[in-house]
Amino acid sequence: MTMLKLNGATHPFSPGTTVADLVTAVTGRALLGTGQAADGGRLGVAVARNAGIVPRSQWAHNRVEENDDIEIVTAVQGG
């Protein structure tokens, strides 16, 4: 079984899974090819893959690999 680390926990994934697929799974929101939310709302999410930032415009084309360490961070207002 192919595994990666997502937000600190180990998860299985299927070959061909993209960063956009993971963002959709974590946020529950469909994405456009540009990485914007399909509902037109603000997504407020940043993604790091193996400690490198993945630009939103590359989420749909960035396929994850075994043992990748993915962090999906959601912005929260307030403090």
Side-chain angles (χ1 to χ4, degrees), residues 20 23-24 27-45 56 59-60:
V23 171
T24 294
T27 65
R29 296 172 70 186
L31 300 178
L32 301 173
T34 60
Q36 302 298 317
D39 61 15
R42 183 182 169 136
L43 195 57
V45 170
R56 183 180 307 259
W59 289 357

Side-chain angles (χ1 to χ4, degrees), residues 4-63:
L4 60 75
K5 191 175 283 187
L6 175 60
N7 291 343
T10 303
H11 291 273
F13 71 97
S14 301
T17 298
T18 66
V19 169
D21 295 330
L22 296 177
V23 171
T24 294
V26 168
T27 65
R29 296 172 70 186
L31 300 178
L32 301 173
T34 60
Q36 302 298 317
D39 61 15
R42 183 182 169 136
L43 195 57
V45 170
V47 177
R49 177 179 176 194
N50 301 325
I53 299 296
V54 181
R56 183 180 307 259
S57 62
Q58 296 178 13
W59 289 357
H61 310 289
N62 200 309
R63 292 187 179 178

Side-chain angles (χ1 to χ4, degrees), residues 52-75:
I53 299 296
V54 181
R56 183 180 307 259
S57 62
Q58 296 178 13
W59 289 357
H61 310 289
N62 200 309
R63 292 187 179 178
V64 296
E65 298 178 5
E66 186 165 12
N67 299 319
D68 273 353
D69 185 3
I70 307 293
E71 293 288 333
I72 298 176
V73 180
T74 303

